[in-house]
Amino acid sequence: MTHALFTPITLRSLEIRNRIWVPPMCQYSVDTLDGVPAPWHLMHYGSLARGGAGAIIVEATGVVPEGRISPTDLGLWNDAQRDALAPIVDLAHSQGAAMGIQLAHAGRKASTHPEWGTEGSGSLTPEEGGWETVGPSETPFPGLAAPRALDAAGIDVVVRAFVASARRAVEAGFDLIELHGAHGYLLHEFLSPLSNHREDEYGGSLENRSRLLLEIVDAVRAEIGDGMPLLVRLSGTDWLEDGLRVDEVGQVGAWLKEHGVDLLDISSGGNQSPAPIPVGPGYQVPLATAVRAASGLPTGAVGMIDEPFQAEQIVATGLADVVLVGREMLRDPNFPLRAAHAVRYDAAPIPPQYARAHR
Ligand code: FNR
């Protein structure tokens, strides 16, 4: 029986105990709408760490207030937010998990009603606490308010905000950083021809559409130093004829490798609605495999990977290097311990307090 899931993986100076990771999942749970985590976050991330995950990537965290999806998102644009994240990182470390954080700018999909907790959906009005959104162009996401197109000065502010948040992530003790380049948020909006209609050096060719992402990667790498892994989440395709294609994403991945990115977390879609997405077990795995081959980078596969043997097979057969298990980890934060039992891996990270239950 293979134990591919439980073979540690080393990215730069970080060794991660296994290959079952938790993808970023917004909790929409800040207490006072100031981007600062609440007790919920301590419990949530602590329980995921105790359940045996190798790495946990904290939910999309705004690098600027206007970069939040909703007012209930986490932020990392000030030191109070950093200082409140640090104990969450410490708790996860005490349970042996590596901690990452997804730094994000929601672009034209910012300023929306959170998934739950308030009345309504779609864009927030100013009366509801909404704000003006920004994007590569003025084209709105279907059903949302139109953004303002970023000018050169606005782009510079975004780059510097990612760098400042990355510095705070290091200070808070995070082990790795993931840049959110998927799901129709700002960096994906630049990459995709569906949302980027610019005529300057940030629009047009794939190289130009990738420029903002690569500038941020370079600037963040310069800030965090050589030891820390830097990941990028990409949508492997827009699932639409005129959208971003997987071969283009493979090329972007190859450039990201040249710029010092260590692993690509391959999701899909999110930049246009509706889109014909063939949702089903492991439906995004082929995208991770294709981008892995084209870029030469390790990849993470995500999306309806819910079963231990399914996860083991993905890693053991080289379809991806790690799996990210989202909703199944919400249903059962002990999924990694369950998977260890399924593949007969007897050195799973069972907390000593619970050891008798596993004898
Ligand atoms: C998500 N997802 C997500 N993705 C992301 O890149 N940043 C985020 O903050 C969030 N937030 C989020 C919240 C919740 C409640 C869910 C369920 C999902 C997408 C998530 O990371 C993952 O890609 C999908 O859930 C698909 O994987 P599973 O759940 O099928 O394993």
Side-chain angles (χ1 to χ4, degrees):
M1 186 82 192
T2 58
H3 297 146
L5 286 176
F6 293 92
T7 306
I9 182 169
T10 299
L11 300 174
R12 294 193 182 244
S13 61
L14 177 68
E15 186 185 88
I16 300 175
R17 63 182 170 184
N18 65 49
R19 292 158 188 249
I20 307 174
W21 296 5
V22 182
M25 287 182 282
C26 287
Q27 298 298 295
Y28 303 109
S29 293
V30 295
D31 273 340
T32 51
L33 305 188
D34 54 3
V36 174
W40 172 266
H41 295 93
L42 189 67
M43 177 190 67
H44 168 67
Y45 291 111
S47 72
L48 292 168
R50 192 210 57 200
I56 298 166
I57 304 177
V58 166
E59 67 206 74
T61 298
V63 297
V64 283
E66 64 274 19
R68 291 168 299 166
I69 304 167
S70 84
T72 57
D73 291 19
L74 292 182
L76 197 42
W77 63 82
N78 68 37
D79 292 350
Q81 295 158 345
R82 174 200 64 196
D83 295 345
L85 283 165
I88 298 174
V89 177
D90 290 345
L91 177 59
H93 282 165
S94 77
Q95 300 306 304
M99 278 298 265
I101 185 164
Q102 186 184 51
L103 299 182
H105 191 306
R108 66 179 186 162
K109 285 175 71 176
S111 185
T112 60
H113 284 269
E115 207 168 272
W116 55 272
T118 57
E119 300 272 316
S121 61
S123 294
L124 290 165
T125 62
E127 298 72 44
E128 292 170 323
W131 57 87
E132 182 190 46
T133 60
V134 296
S137 307
E138 288 168 8
T139 316
F141 183 84
L144 297 183
R148 172 171 57 82
L150 281 170
D151 59 13
I155 286 177
D156 192 48
V157 168
V158 169
V159 175
R160 282 190 282 115
F162 272 96
V163 171
S165 294
R167 175 175 43 78
R168 291 195 183 92
V170 172
E171 290 166 358
F174 283 100
D175 304 292
L176 63 89
I177 287 173
E178 175 174 285
L179 304 176
H180 199 344
H183 300 168
Y185 297 114
L186 186 67
L187 302 181
H188 183 187
E189 290 162 19
F190 271 80
L191 287 171
S192 172
L194 297 174
S195 43
N196 183 341
H197 308 297
R198 298 177 74 94
E199 290 176 355
D200 63 2
E201 69 270 32
Y202 293 95
S205 66
L206 182 63
E207 198 182 350
N208 281 357
R209 285 182 272 126
S210 305
R211 191 176 306 283
L212 175 59
L213 174 60
L214 293 172
E215 283 181 4
I216 291 172
V217 163
D218 289 346
V220 167
R221 172 58 73 201
E223 178 66 41
I224 66 180
D226 287 340
M228 188 185 229
L230 180 59
L231 280 52
V232 177
R233 176 166 262 204
L234 294 171
S235 283
T237 174
D238 281 333
W239 298 111
L240 290 162
E241 214 158 281
D242 300 336
L244 194 63
R245 300 185 312 263
V246 66
D247 60 298
E248 293 181 306
V249 177
Q251 175 62 65
V252 174
W255 290 329
L256 289 169
K257 181 177 183 191
E258 285 168 15
H259 286 250
V261 166
D262 302 295
L263 185 143
L264 299 174
D265 171 6
I266 302 298
S267 184
S268 75
N271 199 30
Q272 187 68 279
S273 178
I277 305 182
V279 176
Y283 70 105
Q284 295 174 145
V285 174
L287 299 171
T289 308
V291 174
R292 185 179 194 253
S295 67
L297 274 178
T299 56
V302 65
M304 294 192 76
I305 300 168
D306 291 352
E307 300 288 343
F309 288 159
Q310 178 199 19
E312 174 68 18
Q313 194 179 22
I314 290 166
V315 178
T317 61
L319 300 179
D321 298 272
V322 304
V323 290
L324 295 110
V325 178
R327 287 163 293 176
E328 180 62 13
M329 287 289 275
L330 300 183
R331 292 185 286 268
D332 177 12
N334 295 321
F335 176 82
L337 299 180
R338 184 151 54 81
H341 179 74
V343 301
R344 306 291 187 267
Y345 175 71
D346 57 17
I350 296 163
Q353 294 89 336
Y354 291 3
R356 280 173 64 184
H358 291 265
R359 275 191 203 128

